[in-house]
Amino acid sequence: MRPVSSWGRLSRDPHRTLALHEPRAVARALREAQPGVAFGMGRSYGDACLNPGGFLWLTRGLDHLVAFDRQSGVLTCEPGMLLRDIQRLAIADGWLLPVTPGTQLITVGGAIANDVHGKNHHRVGSFGDHVRRLWLARTDGEIIECGPDLAADWFAATVGGIGLTGLIVRAELQLRRVPGPWLRTQTIPYGTLDEFFTLADASEESWEHTVSWIDCLARGGRGLFMRGNHADVEGARAPSGRARRIPLVPPVSLVNGLSLRPFNEMYFRLNSRQSGPRITHYEPFFYPLDNLHDWNRMYGPRGFYQYQSVVPRPVGRDAVAAMLAEIGRSGEGSFLAVLKTFGERHSVGMLGFPCPGVTLALDFPNKGASTLALLDRLDAIVGEAGGRLYLAKDTRMPRALFEAGYPRWQEFNAYRDPGISSGMSRRLLGA
Ligand SMILES: Cc1cc2nc3c(=O)[nH]c(=O)nc-3n(C[C@H](O)[C@H](O)[C@H](O)COP(=O)(O)OP(=O)(O)OC[C@H]3O[C@@H](n4cnc5c(N)ncnc54)[C@H](O)[C@@H]3O)c2cc1C
């Protein structure tokens, strides 16, 4: 038994960990180490990748590239391969993954099991839209091969299925052509939520990647809108890639009422001054925090909550405004606040998060009861708006909000593997 945390560092419960390295040994491991659940890079913030008191099947060792067709961009790999390694391999031949989240330090298995989204959801949907085949190992030894056109019900259960339908042991992905590693990008300051929506609407047609940072403590909803398109650029200098690390866990959160307001102010002013067009390498544009290792330590020993919702577009402006007003009143909140519009596409997954609407993601240092009370108030706004919370970020949502937000949860239950259980499955699905 050893203590394991996920990215939010809210708990350190003991787990029995089993490192998987050899695909042929997987069937026996799954049969003998139950109940368990897959653990990739643990970049989920809550309990989707945790199983307190039970087994974690560590998949990072299953990281072989099986095949890569440089003509068609079809790549087959084991589930522990990192998105970063796929990107760095494929870019040399003019390919990238069509969808990546705000970090590339995650595994292919984790990307599928949460059906992760990126800054281009309005154009290309989410990760599962680009998976051609999956091989799923069940704890009874069966291997299920599935895809959008083969055993499509198993595919829909497994994409976004938070690891509960079996262990993904192999995946075949379709990469997308890019002219090179560069993007033409723009940063545009905005002063109100209405300006944000105007910018988002105006950008979706002609910009592939859009996202915004929002100052969650400023009245009105000011922020910085970022957009980018892949570009054919020669002679630009690649970033050094030098990484830094938060060396230790400070005794208290560095993100607090004293630091946050001036920090947001400074960030907004600095970036507003430097706004305008640029040429940017894909790594700093898509994954701005990946070179600051262990940044989650800055929230101190009590960890932090991440709260990500999506609410339908027609009520999106008012719901986001109501959430920001609650946060402003509470004085809690964080620097890492992201607002983005999704396109008109639903996740292929029964429990997939992405759907048409507007999504707001925020970090909150864990201050105990006052933070939980604030999150309850945000739940009420999301529930009223007919929205849902992202399972990859969650550790506390009430079951009623889950069931309302994910109406296919009962259908999903039929595909669960009885040898798999997680903290999240026990909390939200009862087993
Ligand atoms: C800085 C940061 C930025 C992020 N930005 C985004 C973003 O923009 N968009 C977004 O969608 N998400 C984002 N995320 C969340 C992250 O992409 C997801 O939580 C992702 O699933 C983490 O992958 P992982 O390899 O760490 O998996 P883990 O967190 O270890 O596991 C996630 C889930 O996948 C399951 N799983 C893992 N491997 C397998 C397998 N082989 N077979 C079956 N199930 C498996 C686990 O059981 C668990 O349920 C971000 C996270 C961080 C830390």
Side-chain angles (χ1 to χ4, degrees):
M1 287 274 192
R2 69 177 175 92
V4 180
S5 299
S6 61
W7 195 246
R9 303 183 68 257
L10 286 161
S11 62
R12 292 188 81 239
D13 292 318
H15 289 75
R16 298 166 79 174
T17 56
L18 182 70
L20 303 173
H21 295 284
E22 176 53 53
R24 269 172 304 187
V26 165
R28 186 163 165 218
L30 298 197
R31 200 173 51 241
E32 291 177 4
Q34 291 185 23
V37 75
F39 184 95
M41 284 290 279
R43 253 49 177 194
S44 297
Y45 289 70
D47 53 2
C49 59
L50 297 177
N51 181 21
F55 280 98
L56 287 183
W57 305 317
L58 312 183
T59 59
R60 268 294 283 131
L62 297 171
D63 63 349
H64 290 99
L65 176 70
V66 178
F68 178 36
D69 182 334
R70 292 177 159 77
Q71 299 307 317
S72 65
V74 174
L75 182 144
T76 308
C77 65
E78 291 175 1
M81 195 166 179
L82 294 185
L83 304 196
R84 180 196 63 192
D85 297 343
I86 294 178
Q87 304 271 83
R88 289 186 177 173
L89 169 88
I91 191 66
D93 292 295
W95 297 100
L96 280 180
L97 286 160
V99 173
T100 57
T103 172
Q104 59 177 348
L105 300 176
I106 70 164
T107 63
V108 167
I112 296 169
N114 272 321
D115 193 17
V116 299
H117 57 271
K119 297 176 173 58
N120 55 356
H121 180 269
H122 58 283
R123 279 285 180 85
V124 300
S126 45
F127 200 88
D129 289 312
H130 308 279
V131 178
R132 292 162 48 111
R133 277 283 179 276
L134 284 183
W135 287 262
L136 190 65
R138 304 269 293 175
T139 57
D140 63 4
E142 190 188 1
I143 300 281
I144 298 174
E145 185 181 342
C146 60
D149 54 357
L150 175 77
D153 54 337
W154 280 99
F155 186 70
T158 302
V159 171
I162 45 171
L164 300 178
T165 61
L167 187 87
I168 299 160
V169 285
R170 184 179 281 200
E172 186 182 284
L173 313 172
Q174 176 65 61
L175 308 194
R176 51 121 352 136
R177 272 263 173 237
V178 288
W182 301 100
L183 294 108
R184 282 185 207 287
T185 62
Q186 282 184 359
T187 300
I188 306 167
Y190 60 88
T192 64
L193 272 184
D194 290 329
E195 278 179 41
F196 161 80
F197 281 104
T198 305
L199 270 169
D201 288 342
S203 304
E204 278 175 11
E205 188 66 27
S206 46
W207 294 85
E208 173 167 349
H209 302 280
T210 65
V211 72
S212 91
W213 171 81
I214 183 157
D215 182 346
C216 67
L217 294 183
R219 230 174 267 158
R222 73 173 173 187
L224 299 162
F225 192 88
M226 284 149 283
R227 56 192 189 185
N229 276 331
H230 295 276
D232 193 358
V233 177
E234 275 180 23
R237 233 190 21 212
S240 75
R242 196 177 332 125
R244 295 182 198 283
R245 179 178 296 276
I246 303 275
L248 43 83
V249 181
V252 293
S253 171
L254 301 179
V255 182
N256 55 47
L258 283 180
S259 66
L260 191 58
R261 214 172 275 277
F263 193 89
N264 279 4
E265 181 73 29
M266 187 185 72
Y267 185 79
F268 180 76
R269 295 215 174 279
L270 207 67
N271 282 282
S272 299
R273 275 208 293 273
Q274 293 175 352
S275 62
R278 286 185 169 207
I279 301 294
T280 315
H281 191 270
Y282 78 89
E283 288 198 343
F285 181 69
F286 291 138
Y287 325 112
L289 285 174
D290 275 3
N291 273 344
L292 184 58
H293 294 317
D294 295 328
W295 61 259
N296 53 346
R297 288 178 170 175
M298 73 185 172
Y299 290 94
R302 300 180 75 183
F304 67 106
Y305 292 94
Q306 158 95 194
Y307 191 89
Q308 181 167 0
S309 59
V310 58
V311 289
R313 265 309 267 280
V315 292
R317 193 214 156 279
D318 289 348
V320 171
M323 284 193 266
L324 291 176
E326 273 299 346
I327 294 162
R329 269 195 294 276
S330 74
E332 303 203 25
S334 93
F335 163 69
L336 291 167
V338 175
L339 184 63
K340 166 159 180 61
T341 47
F342 279 155
E344 292 299 312
R345 305 167 75 125
H346 289 268
S347 166
V348 300
M350 292 175 190
L351 296 189
F353 172 71
C355 60
V358 53
T359 178
L360 175 66
L362 305 136
D363 289 351
F364 296 96
N366 175 20
K367 292 188 189 167
S370 67
T371 312
L372 287 169
L374 169 64
L375 300 184
D376 287 347
R377 296 198 293 278
L378 299 185
D379 285 351
I381 297 168
V382 173
E384 175 82 6
R388 61 171 64 142
L389 301 186
Y390 190 8
L391 297 172
K393 312 288 179 80
D394 181 59
T395 199
R396 48 142 305 271
M397 91 168 92
R399 209 160 150 176
L401 185 59
F402 167 70
E403 291 176 4
Y406 292 91
R408 295 179 75 183
W409 67 273
Q410 278 163 312
E411 183 189 353
F412 169 80
N413 266 339
Y415 297 88
R416 283 197 57 185
D417 185 318
I420 298 184
S421 182
S422 66
M424 175 166 279
S425 74
R426 293 192 286 279
R427 183 165 60 81
L428 295 178
L429 291 160

